[in-house]
Amino acid sequence: MTTVRDAAPEGGTRGRDLFDDRRFRLLFLARSISVLAAAFGPVALAFGVLDLPGASATTLTVVLTAQTVPQIALMLFGGVVADRISRTRLMLTAELASAAAFFGLATMFVTGHAPVWGIALLAAATGIALALYYPALTGVVPEIVRDEHLQTANGVLRLGVNSARLLGMAAAGGAVALLGAGWALAVNGVGLVVSAALLAALRPTPGTGRRRTSMMSDLREGRREFASRRWLWVIVLQFSFVIAAMQAAFGVLGPVVAKADLGGAPAWSAILVGQGLGTLAGVFLAIRLRPRRPLLVATSMVFAVALPITLLGIGAPVYVVALGAFVTGAAFDVFGVMWETTMQREIPREALSRVAAYDGLGSFMFGPLGLVAAAPLADAVGAHHALLLCAALIVLVTVGALAVPEVRNLRAPTHVVDSRALTSG
């Protein structure tokens, strides 16, 4: 089966032309509203739990672990299901299930009856919903958008997601302060219901038409598709270390240095805002770039992730670190758009969600270890030196990935690199 569908040259296609397609408009709105709503949940849940009588950091860790473990553990299951049934229906079901869980959490906090076991149970339900949603999302885009428009579509979707995330992050803290954690969680639930309604307005995407086999057979088939492409598993392996280093640097070590040397929360917020603004700029660059060797360009962008981490490690001023974070945000989005587009072009559609699940599982498998190792590493060598070690790890594994010929030499289809495709987004 060919993995690149017949298509005419992209020519004058621009990002805004995609909105002529009603189905893409609905997907764009559903995804953006879902991310906007989801920005409220983590803030509200964290402060809601910490405000419980007798709660501590351990209590919050229990709740977040309950949410994260099923999301990772069931990711492969979500990929199998998404390759069997309509992906839009699965996304809709996941959004409604997550909304129900957030409404349950909201009720607990508003009424004041919020046992930790109940919060953990509903948090686990949101994790299960995410495990179903994300593999389906990767597979649904090429069912709606023609192959020659995939990169532009992925970029435009990321523009909506990044804008929504920035808006949500700006509003979430104020919502929790003004309304309370319970009502802020309800806002999350309402947004997910709206997203589900938009997905329902999409005509359900057809199933892949695969012959039904056992769950284990489907998993083995997905693993074969994943393992047979060296460029794929090499970059996933690279990102398992990159994500671990980022979790340590941005989750623990960066805030520690910001508090000790840069002025605390306002400085750290400025750095995160810089990164967020960079993601918006990166989308426009990603839409326009049409390299002949997309993974060579995309993987090279990962070097920029080490920049703000290095700047924090050497004690640079906050505005310099924020500029470095801007570069990281832009580069990371260029990588993300090219990576998603390459997977969607190169992986057979009937296996795409399972391969995406292996990608997600592999990329994030060391993330928790990065968080766990950050504090002992800082105690052993100091936070600044620990940051420099994280940056060095990112550079080292990126060099290793680029040393693999399949990563450097994978070529985009001819019609994608046609010079006429270099149009504005």
Side-chain angles (χ1 to χ4, degrees):
M1 173 183 175
T2 182
T3 57
V4 178
R5 300 187 294 283
D6 293 336
E10 191 165 5
T13 299
R14 295 165 297 186
R16 61 177 175 269
D17 293 337
L18 289 167
F19 290 98
D20 292 338
D21 184 340
R22 173 180 175 274
R23 300 187 73 212
F24 183 80
R25 290 198 307 271
L26 289 170
L27 179 63
F28 176 87
L29 289 172
R31 186 76 186 107
S32 299
I33 291 171
S34 179
V35 171
L36 175 63
F40 286 78
V43 178
L45 186 61
F47 283 94
V49 169
L50 292 175
D51 283 343
L52 294 174
S56 65
T58 301
T59 311
L60 182 57
T61 299
V62 168
V63 172
L64 295 181
T65 301
Q67 184 179 43
T68 303
V69 168
Q71 180 182 345
I72 295 174
L74 296 176
M75 185 75 73
L76 296 181
F77 171 78
V80 170
V81 175
D83 277 339
R84 288 185 172 210
I85 67 174
S86 166
R87 289 173 173 131
T88 52
R89 282 182 174 167
L90 181 59
M91 291 166 64
L92 186 158
T93 302
E95 292 283 67
L96 290 177
S98 188
F102 275 107
F103 286 136
L105 288 166
T107 302
M108 284 185 176
F109 285 111
V110 169
T111 61
H113 180 67
V116 173
W117 66 265
I119 297 171
L121 185 64
L122 290 175
T126 67
I128 294 170
L130 287 171
L132 297 173
Y133 182 91
Y134 282 107
L137 174 65
T138 300
V140 83
V141 177
E143 294 177 344
I144 291 175
V145 178
R146 287 171 60 88
D147 178 82
E148 70 272 21
H149 302 157
L150 277 174
Q151 185 168 326
T152 302
N154 285 322
V156 171
L157 288 171
R158 276 187 173 251
L159 179 62
V161 164
N162 294 340
S163 301
R165 184 177 291 117
L166 281 173
L167 180 60
M169 288 171 59
V176 172
L178 292 174
L179 304 175
W183 290 110
L185 288 164
V187 170
N188 194 332
V190 169
L192 294 175
V193 170
V194 173
S195 171
L198 291 165
L199 291 171
L202 280 166
R203 292 190 305 275
T205 55
T208 59
R210 292 189 308 109
R211 180 175 60 85
R212 294 296 178 88
T213 57
S214 70
M215 183 73 67
M216 291 307 298
S217 294
D218 281 356
L219 284 173
R220 285 194 294 270
E221 182 184 335
R223 187 178 67 242
R224 283 194 297 272
E225 292 286 353
F226 177 81
S228 66
R229 293 167 173 83
R230 196 178 183 196
W231 58 266
L232 178 60
W233 62 258
V234 164
I235 291 182
V236 170
L237 180 62
Q238 171 205 8
F239 260 76
S240 67
F241 291 99
V242 170
I243 295 297
M246 290 179 67
Q247 290 279 58
F250 289 101
V252 179
L253 300 171
V256 167
V257 169
K259 182 178 180 180
D261 301 333
L262 299 177
W268 189 242
S269 178
I271 292 168
L272 296 181
V273 168
Q275 183 176 347
L277 293 175
T279 63
L280 298 180
V283 165
F284 291 102
L285 180 60
I287 289 172
R288 295 182 63 86
L289 282 176
R290 294 293 188 275
R292 292 186 181 277
R293 293 187 286 177
L295 291 186
L296 173 62
V297 173
T299 306
S300 298
M301 292 288 171
V302 182
F303 285 118
V305 177
L307 178 58
I309 300 174
T310 301
L311 292 171
L312 281 166
I314 64 175
V318 63
Y319 72 90
V320 176
V321 180
L323 287 173
F326 178 90
V327 173
T328 289
F332 212 73
D333 253 32
V334 171
F335 170 86
V337 170
M338 290 188 178
W339 175 248
E340 291 166 358
T341 303
T342 300
M343 284 185 60
Q344 290 161 354
R345 288 192 179 120
E346 298 292 330
I347 307 299
R349 185 182 297 180
E350 63 269 20
L352 181 53
S353 289
R354 279 169 292 165
V355 172
Y358 277 103
D359 170 30
L361 179 64
S363 296
F364 288 95
M365 64 181 177
F366 294 155
L369 295 180
L371 287 173
V372 171
L377 186 60
D379 290 339
V381 301
H384 288 277
H385 286 98
L387 283 162
L388 293 175
L389 289 174
C390 289
L393 177 61
I394 291 170
V395 171
L396 180 65
V397 297
T398 302
V399 169
L402 287 171
V404 176
E406 289 85 347
V407 173
R408 298 195 310 272
N409 298 329
L410 183 72
R411 292 183 178 271
T414 303
H415 67 269
V416 172
V417 298
D418 191 294
S419 62
R420 289 170 294 176
L422 295 177
T423 56
S424 63

